[in-house]
PDB file of all heavy atoms in Angstrom:
ATOM      1  N   GLY A 157     -25.719  51.186  38.865  1.00  0.00           N
ATOM      2  CA  GLY A 157     -27.046  51.476  38.260  1.00  0.00           C
ATOM      3  C   GLY A 157     -27.020  53.092  38.203  1.00  0.00           C
ATOM      4  O   GLY A 157     -25.883  53.703  38.380  1.00  0.00           O
ATOM      5  N   GLY A 158     -28.110  53.679  37.835  1.00  0.00           N
ATOM      6  CA  GLY A 158     -28.101  55.114  37.754  1.00  0.00           C
ATOM      7  C   GLY A 158     -27.712  55.871  39.092  1.00  0.00           C
ATOM      8  O   GLY A 158     -26.829  56.874  38.891  1.00  0.00           O
ATOM      9  N   HIS A 159     -28.158  55.464  40.193  1.00  0.00           N
ATOM     10  CA  HIS A 159     -27.878  56.152  41.405  1.00  0.00           C
ATOM     11  C   HIS A 159     -26.397  56.101  41.675  1.00  0.00           C
ATOM     12  O   HIS A 159     -25.759  57.099  42.158  1.00  0.00           O
ATOM     13  CB  HIS A 159     -28.675  55.752  42.617  1.00  0.00           C
ATOM     14  CG  HIS A 159     -30.024  56.219  42.619  1.00  0.00           C
ATOM     15  ND1 HIS A 159     -30.377  57.462  43.116  1.00  0.00           N
ATOM     16  CD2 HIS A 159     -31.137  55.726  42.077  1.00  0.00           C
ATOM     17  CE1 HIS A 159     -31.676  57.688  43.040  1.00  0.00           C
ATOM     18  NE2 HIS A 159     -32.126  56.639  42.381  1.00  0.00           N
ATOM     19  N   GLY A 160     -25.790  54.856  41.507  1.00  0.00           N
ATOM     20  CA  GLY A 160     -24.364  54.813  41.887  1.00  0.00           C
ATOM     21  C   GLY A 160     -23.493  55.547  40.820  1.00  0.00           C
ATOM     22  O   GLY A 160     -22.525  56.218  41.197  1.00  0.00           O
ATOM     23  N   LEU A 161     -23.700  55.519  39.515  1.00  0.00           N
ATOM     24  CA  LEU A 161     -23.073  56.262  38.584  1.00  0.00           C
ATOM     25  C   LEU A 161     -23.179  57.719  38.744  1.00  0.00           C
ATOM     26  O   LEU A 161     -22.110  58.461  38.557  1.00  0.00           O
ATOM     27  CB  LEU A 161     -23.406  55.826  37.175  1.00  0.00           C
ATOM     28  CG  LEU A 161     -22.995  54.355  36.870  1.00  0.00           C
ATOM     29  CD1 LEU A 161     -23.852  53.803  35.604  1.00  0.00           C
ATOM     30  CD2 LEU A 161     -21.534  54.186  36.672  1.00  0.00           C
ATOM     31  N   ALA A 162     -24.550  58.178  39.077  1.00  0.00           N
ATOM     32  CA  ALA A 162     -24.655  59.593  39.377  1.00  0.00           C
ATOM     33  C   ALA A 162     -23.785  60.149  40.510  1.00  0.00           C
ATOM     34  O   ALA A 162     -23.115  61.191  40.428  1.00  0.00           O
ATOM     35  CB  ALA A 162     -26.181  59.901  39.472  1.00  0.00           C
ATOM     36  N   THR A 163     -23.819  59.227  41.589  1.00  0.00           N
ATOM     37  CA  THR A 163     -23.034  59.634  42.752  1.00  0.00           C
ATOM     38  C   THR A 163     -21.612  59.830  42.321  1.00  0.00           C
ATOM     39  O   THR A 163     -21.020  60.828  42.798  1.00  0.00           O
ATOM     40  CB  THR A 163     -23.218  58.586  43.788  1.00  0.00           C
ATOM     41  OG1 THR A 163     -24.584  58.189  44.023  1.00  0.00           O
ATOM     42  CG2 THR A 163     -22.499  58.934  45.075  1.00  0.00           C
ATOM     43  N   ALA A 164     -21.073  58.786  41.583  1.00  0.00           N
ATOM     44  CA  ALA A 164     -19.603  58.942  41.233  1.00  0.00           C
ATOM     45  C   ALA A 164     -19.338  60.256  40.292  1.00  0.00           C
ATOM     46  O   ALA A 164     -18.427  60.869  40.599  1.00  0.00           O
ATOM     47  CB  ALA A 164     -19.213  57.720  40.352  1.00  0.00           C
ATOM     48  N   PHE A 165     -20.273  60.451  39.471  1.00  0.00           N
ATOM     49  CA  PHE A 165     -20.099  61.655  38.576  1.00  0.00           C
ATOM     50  C   PHE A 165     -20.180  62.852  39.450  1.00  0.00           C
ATOM     51  O   PHE A 165     -19.251  63.766  39.254  1.00  0.00           O
ATOM     52  CB  PHE A 165     -21.326  61.664  37.497  1.00  0.00           C
ATOM     53  CG  PHE A 165     -21.363  63.088  36.792  1.00  0.00           C
ATOM     54  CD1 PHE A 165     -20.473  63.389  35.723  1.00  0.00           C
ATOM     55  CD2 PHE A 165     -22.296  63.923  37.028  1.00  0.00           C
ATOM     56  CE1 PHE A 165     -20.515  64.501  35.104  1.00  0.00           C
ATOM     57  CE2 PHE A 165     -22.434  65.122  36.377  1.00  0.00           C
ATOM     58  CZ  PHE A 165     -21.462  65.463  35.321  1.00  0.00           C
ATOM     59  N   TYR A 166     -21.020  63.124  40.391  1.00  0.00           N
ATOM     60  CA  TYR A 166     -21.204  64.387  41.054  1.00  0.00           C
ATOM     61  C   TYR A 166     -20.018  64.494  42.013  1.00  0.00           C
ATOM     62  O   TYR A 166     -19.639  65.575  42.383  1.00  0.00           O
ATOM     63  CB  TYR A 166     -22.532  64.484  41.804  1.00  0.00           C
ATOM     64  CG  TYR A 166     -23.699  64.678  40.766  1.00  0.00           C
ATOM     65  CD1 TYR A 166     -24.760  63.765  40.681  1.00  0.00           C
ATOM     66  CD2 TYR A 166     -23.686  65.802  39.987  1.00  0.00           C
ATOM     67  CE1 TYR A 166     -25.715  63.936  39.701  1.00  0.00           C
ATOM     68  CE2 TYR A 166     -24.742  66.029  39.088  1.00  0.00           C
ATOM     69  CZ  TYR A 166     -25.757  65.090  39.024  1.00  0.00           C
ATOM     70  OH  TYR A 166     -26.739  65.317  37.992  1.00  0.00           O
ATOM     71  N   LEU A 167     -19.571  63.367  42.564  1.00  0.00           N
ATOM     72  CA  LEU A 167     -18.320  63.342  43.505  1.00  0.00           C
ATOM     73  C   LEU A 167     -17.221  63.982  42.747  1.00  0.00           C
ATOM     74  O   LEU A 167     -16.435  64.746  43.250  1.00  0.00           O
ATOM     75  CB  LEU A 167     -18.052  61.993  43.934  1.00  0.00           C
ATOM     76  CG  LEU A 167     -18.668  61.381  45.343  1.00  0.00           C
ATOM     77  CD1 LEU A 167     -18.355  60.015  45.486  1.00  0.00           C
ATOM     78  CD2 LEU A 167     -18.276  62.282  46.419  1.00  0.00           C
TER      79      LEU A 167
END
Side-chain angles (χ1 to χ4, degrees):
Chain A
H159 282 276
L161 293 164
T163 304
F165 170 73
Y166 291 115
L167 271 173

